[in-house]
Amino acid sequence: MHKKIFPSGNAMAAAAADIIIDLVKDMPDALLCFATGNTPIETYRLLVQKAHDEQVDFSRCFCIGLDEWLGVAPETSGSCHYILHQQLFSPLGIAASQVHLFDGMAADPELECKKMNILVAEKGGVDCMVVGVGLNGHVGFNEPGVDTKLGAHVQELHQTTLDSGKHYFDTPVPIRKGITLGLTHVMHAKLLLMLANGTHKAPVVKQLLQDEVSNVLPASFIRRHGNGWLLLDEAAACMLEEQVLLEK
Ligand code: F6R
């Protein structure tokens, strides 16, 4: 793992966007995986802007979503599906044929998981995955205690996740479970970008860097990722011990 601390959330987002742009320039047919949530909003805005400014061609990329709320329809504002289309796919001109997202309304969520596992395997794994960190240390919807050997799976969501989740929606939604790529996907991503900004993330960032690597805090596994980049702003890094701050 590599760690970088930026003076601001905006600088962190600009660096993340640059990394993705460079990857797509080098590998136009990359398989990209994106999280939603508040953390990557600025990264995605800058990614779209840089893609336009530098005329980067996303037309051969394939994009997947990291996760989705089960029981929430794609067209519901606040669903991962809706957000990714609004923030990324539409402005980047990425066609529906280049995207595969979990369907939160799937009659058979297990089949939905199987389809995603097959797709990722057929494409030879994820080339670049962008993830955030939950307040409880989750990655995607891999909640504390998750079986680290799982691929895509349905996950009962913890109360902290349900509480944060409510804020993404304009109207109340009956969420209890999520559908997510597994930690095996996260760990096998050829490039893993984990983003965290803001003082509210400082306690979990401290835990993920200073506690043991374990499924008690799924995000801590980034420390075992050979090409994992933990990108933080100073606010998210503000609780780190001097020694940890100095480590690269
Ligand atoms: C969302 C996702 C979640 C979020 C995490 C942080 O697709 O995968 O794991 O990344 O809950 O959310 P924010 O960024 O809103 O703090």
Side-chain angles (χ1 to χ4, degrees):
M1 180 199 78
H2 313 272
K3 166 171 61 56
K4 282 201 162 199
I5 301 170
F6 297 86
S8 66
N10 185 270
M12 180 200 79
D18 281 341
I19 293 171
I20 302 164
I21 289 281
D22 287 346
L23 181 120
V24 173
K25 281 181 183 167
D26 284 353
M27 196 190 287
D29 59 350
L31 176 60
L32 308 172
C33 174
F34 297 105
T36 58
N38 293 321
T39 309
I41 292 176
E42 183 65 359
T43 298
Y44 296 163
R45 191 186 69 75
L46 292 171
L47 178 63
V48 168
Q49 190 182 303
K50 285 169 195 277
H52 285 153
D53 291 351
E54 299 176 33
Q55 302 205 322
V56 183
D57 181 14
F58 277 74
S59 68
R60 287 169 55 205
C61 289
F62 198 91
C63 300
I64 57 175
L66 178 62
D67 48 15
E68 186 57 277
W69 308 96
L70 217 56
V72 174
E75 59 277 11
T76 304
S77 122
S79 73
C80 300
H81 187 289
Y82 182 93
I83 290 171
L84 287 176
H85 275 279
Q86 191 195 44
Q87 293 179 359
L88 274 181
F89 304 149
S90 301
L92 284 174
I94 292 176
S97 57
Q98 291 169 252
V99 173
H100 183 81
L101 304 174
F102 288 119
D103 179 357
M105 296 303 279
D108 184 349
E110 295 303 332
L111 181 62
E112 202 60 13
C113 294
K114 249 185 221 162
K115 283 197 267 183
M116 186 62 95
N117 287 334
I118 291 170
L119 185 145
V120 173
E122 279 179 354
K123 293 203 175 285
V126 175
D127 294 302
C128 176
M129 182 182 283
V130 181
V131 302
V133 183
L135 290 173
N136 64 358
H138 71 211
V139 177
F141 285 141
N142 291 277
E143 295 280 35
V146 68
D147 178 347
T148 58
K149 295 190 182 65
L150 288 178
H153 62 280
V154 171
Q155 171 89 46
E156 193 85 30
L157 298 173
H158 289 198
Q159 195 55 47
T160 44
T161 304
L162 297 174
D163 292 343
S164 318
K166 280 191 281 202
H167 301 294
Y168 303 128
F169 298 97
D170 304 333
T171 49
V173 284
I175 44 173
R176 215 166 45 82
K177 292 181 180 179
I179 182 165
T180 183
L181 288 183
L183 281 184
T184 53
H185 291 121
V186 176
M187 294 308 285
H188 288 138
K190 290 163 206 156
L191 169 63
L192 175 63
L193 299 180
M194 183 179 282
L195 315 177
N197 56 13
T199 45
H200 63 303
K201 291 293 170 74
V204 73
V205 166
K206 179 181 175 194
Q207 278 176 286
L208 89 85
L209 285 173
Q210 297 185 193
D211 290 358
E212 254 174 60
V213 173
S214 90
N215 69 347
V216 171
L217 207 88
S220 64
F221 279 97
I222 190 171
R223 283 157 57 195
R224 299 217 178 126
H225 195 296
N227 199 22
W229 290 79
L230 180 63
L231 306 184
L232 306 172
D233 70 351
E234 278 177 3
C238 73
M239 289 174 73
L240 296 177
E241 285 168 9
E242 188 77 23
Q243 190 201 330
V244 178
L245 279 173
L246 294 174
E247 285 164 10
K248 292 220 166 166

